[in-house]
Amino acid sequence: MSSARTRTATIVLCGGPINYSNLPIGTNLSNAMIPVNGKPVIGWILDDLLAKDIDDVTVVLRVENERLRTFIERSYAARINLCLAELDRDGTIIESLEAGLQKNPEAGAARVILGDTLITDAFESDEDFVYVGNVSDARRWCLAVIGEDGEVLDYVDKKEVTHIPLLALAGYYHLTDADDLRTSVEQAVEAGERELSDVLRRYGACHPIRARKAKEWFDFGHLDNIIDARKKLLRPRHFNTLTINPILNTITKVSENGEKLKDELDWYLELPDELKVLTPRILRHNVVDERLEIVQEYYGYPTLAELYVYGELHADAWVSILRHVLRIHLQFKKYPGHVERSSLQYMYKQKLWDRLDTLCRNSEWWADLLSQPLITYNGTVLRNLFTLRSDVEERIDALIDSATTCIVHGDYCFSNILFDINNRIVRLIDPRGSFGEKGIIGDPRYDIAKLRHSVRGLYDYFTTDMFQIKTNGYSFHGEVYANGVVNAVGSTFDELIDKMGYSIDEIRLIEGLLFISMLPLHGDQPERQQMMFVKGLSLINDVCS
């Protein structure tokens, strides 16, 4: 290897299609785009590389995998020196590696990562090594035959064996001589070999490869493992801790924010028995060291937000999903109740202005922007919020006057709706538990507006940073990286809620207020704040025009 070649090529192999015998998941066409707790597999891998200060990455993918290409280009091109190696036909994993190496002709070493694998252990090393992990079924894996000194002696690919420990290659290969790796790949291709183990065997003849036991390995290529990964990678929301029992399939929530968790608990407990089937059961609850603890059933279904942003469902499938979600909403409307007018005033008016006051006190930039009478978004002049205040308050008062109240979820957006696509099973999580006052009663239009801000407002694209926004003074230009499905789904959604008797203008007004009132909650993401602001202001301008 030339001494001038010091760069290590980082190659992520995402060129293969889903093996549906291992992953019977009908929402995606590649392992790399399967959503796991709010982001696709490739997102977990690239975020891990960034955390390791690796920002020069080649991703190998099939040329027709537009969804994957679009996601990584739009979400990571600004943060990573990203190179795409596109395959124009289905080939072997060796041909995928060959394509990745061709994009890195000057690299002196290579780290190769399978696109369905996340290993959080360190990658830096001066020696050739592979990560390995324990498995229970040899037929699904390539096993490493390891000597007493830790050197890999041979490989056993997807065969039933009983004579060696079941230590499988975990999907990360650290190879210090990229030239010899290229030669090994070329020889394997010429010989008609198909498995990565064939390349490793050839390379290992010149460079002994050692095995390292991975401490934290997540495999997303098999159904049982991806279920396990979802549990281990689950991130707390407003709780301090989340703990999952993988045997009993229970989740334990503990929070020092006792009021928020108490409101949620009371919502679950106060639901009529007929509706409790739509939520994870509360198994027990108690106070431990002055902190509320709740134990619930755990469901590993993806959220509708994950499916909307990362899935590849047809528009017809989404219309069917929305019809189902709206039918659940109608079940809630069968249970009317009372909410004080002051509570409605708080939810629609006081909360909005209080949060904007907080925003302006904490940010001179926002105080200056909100003081302007007009702003521009994508070439359209919009009246600013305080300019519209009297008109907005008049419409809010009319909204309150016409309110009829019933059981509501209070945060009925895509990220809080777990959905089993194969069986159309819904589980609702993270209810609000109050509507200006504690309880399960509220304005059903609020839930519909929450749905709409996911369907048409593309809120979940904002929270996953699938957008771009640029500012020039008081002029904004934004683009949301949504696919064509959302336009068809959005117009159908409005038709559905119109038939249910809802005023589209009332729903859009509430939706706009929702976006604006969220601004202080995203203070650590200024571009996200800006996107929510212009979206909310556009809705309010449309309604008030």
Side-chain angles (χ1 to χ4, degrees):
M1 181 179 67
S2 169
S3 60
R5 292 185 176 184
T6 58
R7 187 175 73 85
T8 300
T10 301
I11 302 171
V12 184
L13 303 180
C14 303
I18 283 183
N19 182 342
Y20 287 103
S21 62
N22 291 336
L23 277 174
I25 296 173
T27 60
N28 296 84
L29 301 179
S30 69
N31 287 23
M33 285 302 292
I34 293 173
V36 176
N37 299 347
K39 61 182 170 183
V41 167
I42 188 64
W44 286 99
I45 295 171
L46 295 178
D47 285 346
D48 179 66
L49 292 175
L50 285 170
K52 291 172 172 145
D53 294 323
I54 299 171
D55 57 5
D56 194 340
V57 181
T58 297
V59 177
V60 183
L61 70 162
R62 300 191 312 280
V63 68
E64 70 270 17
N65 198 341
E66 183 178 347
R67 191 76 162 160
L68 174 59
R69 181 178 61 254
T70 300
F71 171 73
I72 57 180
E73 284 180 338
R74 291 173 170 175
S75 295
Y76 289 92
R79 293 181 280 163
I80 290 179
N81 182 18
L82 183 67
C83 176
L84 299 182
E86 296 185 319
L87 303 171
D88 59 6
R89 61 186 178 86
D90 289 340
T92 67
I93 192 170
I94 298 177
E95 292 169 318
S96 290
L97 177 55
E98 183 178 40
L101 289 169
Q102 287 172 351
K103 290 288 186 177
N104 293 272
E106 299 303 319
R111 54 172 72 92
V112 181
I113 306 167
L114 299 190
D116 56 7
T117 294
L118 172 65
I119 297 174
T120 61
D121 302 51
F123 285 177
E124 294 302 326
S125 178
D126 294 327
E127 68 173 6
D128 295 277
F129 77 91
V130 294
Y131 273 123
V132 297
N134 292 104
V135 295
S136 58
D137 181 2
R139 292 169 297 178
R140 298 189 301 178
W141 305 93
C142 178
L143 303 183
V145 182
I146 303 170
E148 292 183 2
D149 63 350
E151 182 181 341
V152 180
L153 304 177
D154 199 7
Y155 305 91
V156 180
D157 225 319
K158 301 180 180 67
K159 295 179 182 177
E160 186 67 64
V161 296
T162 57
H163 62 286
I164 59 173
L166 299 186
L167 283 170
L169 297 181
Y172 177 80
Y173 314 91
H174 194 95
L175 307 171
T176 61
D177 193 325
D179 284 341
D180 282 350
L181 177 59
R182 291 185 188 92
T183 300
S184 299
V185 168
E186 290 168 3
Q187 292 172 347
V189 171
E190 290 174 3
E193 294 168 343
R194 302 182 60 84
E195 301 294 344
L196 202 53
S197 57
D198 297 317
V199 173
L200 295 173
R201 195 176 286 112
R202 291 177 181 276
Y203 180 89
C206 302
H207 302 274
I209 299 174
R210 304 185 70 80
R212 291 186 185 179
K213 191 76 175 292
K215 295 178 182 177
E216 194 169 39
W217 169 34
F218 301 96
D219 168 62
F220 304 107
H222 300 87
L223 184 60
D224 50 351
N225 292 335
I226 200 170
I227 291 171
D228 184 55
R230 279 188 174 129
K231 294 175 182 178
K232 291 180 179 177
L233 291 170
L234 191 64
R235 297 169 293 182
R237 296 189 181 189
H238 51 268
F239 314 108
N240 293 100
T241 61
L242 290 177
T243 307
I244 293 177
N245 184 316
I247 306 301
L248 300 178
N249 266 334
T250 61
I251 181 169
T252 301
K253 305 175 184 178
V254 180
S255 179
E256 292 177 353
N257 183 2
E259 284 302 308
K260 175 68 179 77
L261 194 54
K262 178 72 164 53
D263 288 347
E264 179 178 321
L265 171 64
D266 290 343
W267 187 90
Y268 285 120
L269 296 178
E270 291 175 22
L271 272 185
D273 290 342
E274 178 188 352
L275 300 180
K276 285 180 179 177
V277 70
L278 298 170
T279 69
R281 278 188 304 161
I282 301 290
L283 301 175
R284 66 176 182 275
H285 54 91
N286 54 291
V287 177
V288 178
D289 296 330
E290 299 183 352
R291 298 195 303 173
L292 180 61
E293 178 181 284
I294 299 176
V295 181
Q296 283 181 279
E297 289 178 305
Y298 169 78
Y299 289 88
Y301 308 152
T303 66
L304 287 182
E306 292 172 323
L307 296 176
Y308 204 49
V309 177
Y310 305 124
E312 297 176 81
L313 297 175
H314 191 274
D316 290 345
W318 273 110
V319 172
S320 176
I321 290 170
L322 290 175
R323 289 182 189 275
H324 191 64
V325 170
L326 289 171
R327 281 195 288 266
I328 290 172
H329 173 77
L330 291 176
Q331 291 297 311
F332 278 52
K333 288 192 70 176
K334 291 181 179 179
Y335 297 88
H338 176 72
V339 172
E340 294 293 334
R341 183 181 180 86
S342 59
S343 298
L344 295 166
Q345 290 271 7
Y346 171 79
M347 288 297 294
Y348 289 131
K349 188 182 295 187
Q350 181 183 338
K351 182 178 70 170
L352 171 71
W353 304 123
D354 285 352
R355 288 188 175 180
L356 288 179
D357 287 344
T358 300
L359 185 67
C360 291
R361 285 197 305 270
N362 294 335
S363 169
E364 291 183 8
W365 188 90
W366 276 106
D368 177 56
L369 177 69
L370 288 168
S371 69
Q372 302 304 311
L374 303 171
I375 70 159
T376 302
Y377 176 52
N378 287 352
T380 300
V381 176
L382 302 175
R383 289 181 291 166
N384 213 338
L385 200 63
F386 289 113
T387 304
L388 288 167
R389 182 163 184 163
S390 61
D391 197 351
V392 168
E393 291 199 346
E394 181 179 332
R395 291 175 184 275
I396 290 175
D397 289 338
L399 198 68
I400 293 169
D401 290 340
S402 62
T404 58
T405 53
C406 62
I407 292 178
V408 295
H409 178 277
D411 202 3
Y412 201 49
C413 56
F414 276 1
S415 59
N416 290 333
I417 303 174
L418 305 179
F419 194 83
D420 176 4
I421 192 72
N422 296 315
N423 299 293
R424 296 168 63 85
I425 297 174
V426 165
R427 289 294 181 269
L428 306 178
I429 60 173
D430 288 358
R432 184 180 184 90
S434 65
F435 199 85
E437 61 189 73
K438 294 182 182 299
I440 63 175
I441 304 300
D443 186 345
R445 294 172 298 185
Y446 193 88
D447 273 2
I448 294 296
K450 278 280 186 177
L451 268 182
R452 194 180 192 274
H453 97 313
S454 283
V455 178
R456 300 219 69 167
L458 305 181
Y459 169 78
D460 304 294
Y461 281 84
F462 299 167
T463 58
T464 53
D465 299 316
M466 292 284 286
F467 67 90
Q468 181 184 62
I469 189 164
K470 297 179 181 178
T471 62
N472 181 13
Y474 307 116
S475 178
F476 298 81
H477 181 82
E479 178 185 7
V480 185
Y481 301 142
N483 60 30
V485 169
V486 301
N487 293 325
V489 172
S491 59
T492 302
F493 178 79
D494 280 352
E495 292 173 8
L496 292 173
I497 62 174
D498 179 66
K499 290 178 181 178
M500 293 170 66
Y502 288 110
S503 161
I504 301 298
D505 273 355
E506 287 183 344
I507 300 303
R508 290 199 303 164
L509 174 64
I510 299 171
E511 182 189 355
L513 299 177
L514 285 171
F515 274 116
I516 300 295
S517 67
M518 288 175 187
L519 299 182
L521 308 181
H522 295 271
D524 58 338
Q525 299 284 345
E527 291 187 346
R528 195 180 295 176
Q529 280 184 310
Q530 294 165 22
M531 198 72 217
M532 291 180 177
F533 172 69
V534 294
K535 180 63 180 180
L537 192 60
S538 296
L539 285 163
I540 293 170
N541 269 260
D542 286 346
V543 172
C544 293
S545 63

